[in-house]
């Protein structure tokens, strides 16, 4: 395990906005895909050529300097690392126009889906979230999700139909980024 002494390095946050790439991918109506949002140039070792790959979960990440913001020295880097997923979640909920008491559905209970859930709950919405991993759903429930749906065991479309009395969800967030989940999300609205 490599230990990093954060006192010896400058910790930065990367602002991903419309100028960098879009932070929410709009499919149709009010379906958002914050998980499949932008691409990054990465190189896995300093001598390797750069390659365009999805996301920024890599050993190296290249971003324009104008999008970098120094994290204050007194802010724990672990806390600072929440800026991006929380920013994506709160921005998506704002763009989705989520209202108090509105029934919203989130596909994916990873960091982005959980951030969307937190933002929607902050606005007073009723939140149902799906995933195939029970541990993620347990976290979602502990964070305040009203309903959790294991999509490997329960059909999300039937759940939403029953939950809304047949009206379906007025706002659905897709936070997985897989083509199949993006396609299936359309049937939830």
């Amino acid at each position: 395990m490599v230990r990093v002494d954060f006192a010896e390095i400058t910790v930065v946050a990367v602002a991903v906005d419309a100028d960098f790439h879009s932070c929410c991918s709009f499919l149709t109506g009010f379906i958002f895909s914050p998980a499949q949002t932008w691409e990054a140039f990465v190189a896995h070792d300093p001598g390797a050529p750069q390659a365009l790959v999805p996301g920024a979960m890599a050993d190296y990440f290249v971003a324009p300097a104008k999008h970098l913001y120094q994290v204050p020295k007194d802010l724990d880097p672990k806390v600072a690392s929440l800026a991006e997923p929380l920013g994506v979640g709160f921005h998506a909920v704002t763009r989705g126009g989520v209202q108090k008491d509105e029934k919203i559905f989130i596909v994916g209970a990873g960091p982005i889906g959980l951030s969307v859930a937190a933002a929607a709950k902050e606005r007073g919405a009723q939140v149902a979230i799906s995933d195939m991993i029970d541990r993620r759903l347990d976290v979602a429930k502990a964070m305040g999700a009203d309903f959790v749906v294991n999509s490997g065991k329960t059909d999300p479309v039937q759940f939403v139909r029953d939950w809304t009395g047949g009206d379906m969800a007025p706002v659905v967030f897709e936070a997985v980024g897989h083509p199949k989940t993006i396609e299936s999300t359309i049937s939830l609205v």
Side-chain angles (χ1 to χ4, degrees):
M1 176 191 283
V2 176
R3 296 232 179 240
V4 176
D5 182 357
F6 287 104
E8 295 180 19
I9 65 170
T10 300
V11 179
V12 295
V14 179
V16 180
D17 57 21
D19 186 40
F20 190 92
H21 282 282
S22 67
C23 75
C24 290
S25 178
F26 304 108
L27 296 176
T28 181
F30 288 116
I31 299 173
F32 302 95
S33 181
Q36 189 174 25
T37 56
W38 49 288
E39 296 175 324
F41 284 99
V42 297
H44 288 286
D45 67 65
Q50 292 183 339
L52 189 61
V53 299
M57 296 301 291
D59 295 334
Y60 299 94
F61 173 66
V62 179
K66 69 181 182 177
H67 292 280
L68 302 179
Y69 296 89
Q70 186 170 351
V71 173
K73 291 278 186 201
D74 61 341
L75 183 61
D76 184 325
K78 290 178 183 175
V79 174
S81 70
L82 295 174
E84 193 272 341
L86 287 172
V88 169
F90 277 78
H91 181 71
V93 165
T94 298
R95 292 291 303 262
V98 172
Q99 303 294 316
K100 182 178 170 62
D101 296 323
E102 194 166 42
K103 293 181 177 181
I104 67 123
F105 193 81
I106 303 163
V107 178
I112 300 299
L114 293 174
S115 296
V116 170
K121 290 302 293 180
E122 177 69 22
R123 286 193 171 211
Q126 295 179 48
V127 173
I129 188 167
S130 69
D131 204 288
M132 295 183 75
I133 301 171
D134 287 328
R135 185 174 51 86
R136 287 181 170 194
L137 295 171
D138 293 342
V139 172
K141 191 69 173 168
M143 288 180 62
D146 298 292
F147 297 97
V148 295
V149 178
N150 184 317
S151 55
K153 300 173 184 172
T154 302
D155 176 20
V157 173
Q158 188 59 51
F159 170 82
V160 171
R161 186 174 289 118
D162 293 344
W163 183 41
T164 62
D167 292 334
M168 305 309 283
V171 183
V172 175
F173 296 91
E174 197 288 330
V176 176
H178 189 277
K180 286 187 177 189
T181 58
I182 293 170
E183 183 180 323
S184 67
T185 298
I186 294 169
S187 61
L188 297 168
V189 237

